[in-house]
Amino acid sequence: MNTLPYLPFARPTLDEATVEDVADVLRSGWITSGPKVAAFEAALSASVGGRPVRAVSSATAALEIALQLAGIGPGDEVITPAMTFFAAPSMIVRAGATPVFVDVEPGTRNLDLAAAEARIGPRTKAIMPTHFAGLPCDMDALHALAQRHGLRVIEDAALAIGSSWRGKPIGSFGDLCVFSFHPNKNVTAIEGGALVVNDAREARTVETLRFHGITRLPDGTRDVAVAGGKFNLSDVNAAVGLRQLARLPEFNARRRALVARYFARLRTDPPCELPHPGYPGDESGHSWNMFAPLLPLPDLALSRKAFRDALEAHGIGTGVSYEAAHLATAYRRFGYHRGLLPHTERIAESTVTLPLYPTMTDADVERVCAACAEVLAAHRR
Ligand SMILES: *Cc1c(COP(=O)(O)O)cnc(C)c1O
């Protein structure tokens, strides 16, 4: 029997100061959006070079609002990588627009910009890239492409808080940028998200769209000009997020150190395909939300499911990020089938997310690597 502690694939790092801050909010008499949200937004804004940021209830909500802000609706097309979380294509569909799935580069697992450009047509309005696992897309090439074709860019930076491109934090430049504070992300607010916008006018529109579309009239009554949703964040969440954000550099440094150990120690026979290590000379620009090698399935008499079950039996949790979005039932109807986007499909079939979170120890990484080596060696073809 295995007596070692269970290692989940992700785990939030919450301290006693956070518990105290949450208790203070609960005692304060003001628990929904208020001073803590304002402070959280100010701290987020400071982390992205002073650009306006508005907090919302999730990254999914932020994506939905971003699409509305960009005026995207029926008849419009939005380009998105097929190797992404379902939130992006689902929000495109909910906006009434059509998701156009494009393959990713096999190395970075980020949107293949040449393939994206080939899919741009008269209906294309925006491009919604994901920074896979926290590794930034080529932002220079991305924005050059968007400018050439007059497209909005809605960055799904759910995994990329604290990442940077050529020294500039993700979110500090570009167009619209979305962060997530789900417990599996590098900063959590229990749940929550944020949208970075370009100017005060856009920020005011976000404030309206996140709260019923309500605007206040001079006579003290309210009006609704645009049907808005209900996506505001509570002060309880913001109190957690504020404490977390202060520790982001420390968290991400620890993630990088753990990943360096994975790269040094994950030696299996047959070998796994290791993730992209980050751009040479700019390795600290990768926030390492996940460490996800690809299994050498052709050389194994073992399915991914059986591999994951074997690690689970060792007390090691794993994840799958992501399934191939274009093959999901809700999106196949836009004309997709297996074989169209081969890099995405190969990654989706063979990826396994291994445990990675700041409170993991070096010994934990050794344990995961040893378990992987043992299971793969026992099942080589
Ligand atoms: C987690 C995640 C989301 C969704 O974030 P929520 O805050 O849970 O809505 C969106 N996109 C990507 C790439 C994610 O990893």
Side-chain angles (χ1 to χ4, degrees):
M1 218 194 85
N2 177 38
T3 53
L4 293 166
Y6 184 75
L7 302 176
F9 76 88
R11 165 181 273 164
T13 306
L14 296 164
D15 51 33
E16 282 306 312
T18 305
V19 175
E20 285 301 312
D21 283 359
V22 167
D24 287 346
V25 171
L26 294 177
R27 290 188 196 104
S28 74
W30 189 279
I31 56 177
T32 187
S33 310
K36 289 288 183 187
V37 167
F40 188 36
E41 289 177 340
L44 286 165
S45 176
S47 76
V48 293
R51 296 181 78 207
V53 183
R54 291 298 176 267
V56 291
S57 51
S58 68
T60 305
L63 290 169
E64 183 159 2
I65 291 171
L67 286 159
Q68 222 178 335
L69 182 68
I72 288 158
D76 297 336
E77 292 180 356
V78 179
I79 289 178
T80 182
M83 180 47 51
T84 191
F85 183 57
F86 304 120
S90 282
M91 291 310 104
I92 294 167
V93 172
R94 280 163 61 87
T98 302
V100 174
F101 292 104
V102 171
D103 211 352
V104 294
E105 303 168 336
T108 62
R109 306 183 201 172
N110 279 328
L111 182 66
D112 179 332
L113 293 175
E117 188 152 29
R119 298 294 308 275
I120 293 172
R123 293 169 180 273
T124 312
K125 289 285 155 37
I127 183 160
M128 194 179 260
T130 306
H131 303 296
F132 189 86
L135 178 68
C137 300
D138 180 333
M139 297 299 283
D140 299 328
L142 171 70
H143 284 286
L145 170 72
Q147 251 158 35
R148 274 201 298 283
H149 297 276
L151 305 179
R152 296 298 301 255
V153 175
I154 302 170
E155 284 169 67
D156 181 347
L159 302 179
I161 192 159
S163 293
S164 58
W165 170 254
R166 303 201 167 169
K168 290 185 290 184
I170 290 299
S172 70
F173 63 104
D175 189 0
L176 303 172
C177 181
V178 166
F179 294 118
S180 172
F181 309 119
H182 176 277
N184 287 356
K185 312 301 162 132
N186 293 27
V187 162
T188 186
I190 308 173
E191 294 284 354
L195 177 57
V196 187
V197 297
N198 294 292
D199 53 36
R201 190 190 57 79
E202 283 188 350
R204 277 195 304 277
T205 305
V206 175
E207 289 169 9
T208 305
L209 292 174
R210 76 177 166 187
F211 197 72
H212 309 285
I214 286 174
T215 49
R216 302 199 175 265
L217 301 177
D219 71 354
T221 65
R222 296 167 294 182
D223 186 29
V224 169
V226 186
K230 173 65 159 65
F231 302 124
N232 60 302
L233 190 72
S234 86
D235 265 19
V236 174
N237 299 101
V240 176
L242 262 173
R243 282 281 177 194
Q244 288 270 300
L245 195 58
R247 295 186 65 185
L248 177 62
E250 170 204 339
F251 289 165
N252 282 3
R254 181 64 191 149
R255 286 176 178 276
R256 281 196 295 277
L258 291 164
V259 163
R261 185 159 290 258
Y262 266 126
F263 274 110
R265 298 290 201 207
L266 191 61
R267 294 282 176 274
T268 62
D269 179 23
C272 293
E273 187 174 321
L274 298 183
H276 193 288
Y279 301 114
D282 198 11
E283 286 84 358
S284 68
H286 193 329
S287 64
W288 286 107
N289 176 263
M290 298 187 267
F291 184 81
L294 306 184
L295 293 177
L297 291 176
D299 300 326
L300 291 175
L302 177 84
S303 68
R304 175 175 58 188
K305 173 74 166 70
F307 173 80
R308 296 183 65 203
D309 289 347
L311 280 202
E312 190 70 29
H314 279 82
I316 296 168
T318 59
V320 171
S321 289
Y322 299 101
E323 296 81 358
H326 64 296
L327 301 179
T329 305
Y331 321 127
R332 273 176 182 264
R333 66 185 171 90
F334 293 102
Y336 296 90
H337 56 79
R338 193 171 296 281
L340 280 180
L341 306 176
H343 297 310
T344 296
E345 292 166 24
R346 188 178 74 91
I347 294 164
E349 283 159 14
S350 58
T351 187
V352 174
T353 306
L354 299 178
L356 182 64
Y357 45 89
T359 53
M360 250 183 115
T361 65
D362 293 354
D364 291 336
V365 175
E366 304 287 342
R367 192 181 139 200
V368 175
C369 292
C372 289
E374 183 189 316
V375 173
L376 293 190
H379 296 277
R380 76 164 298 150
R381 202 189 281 281

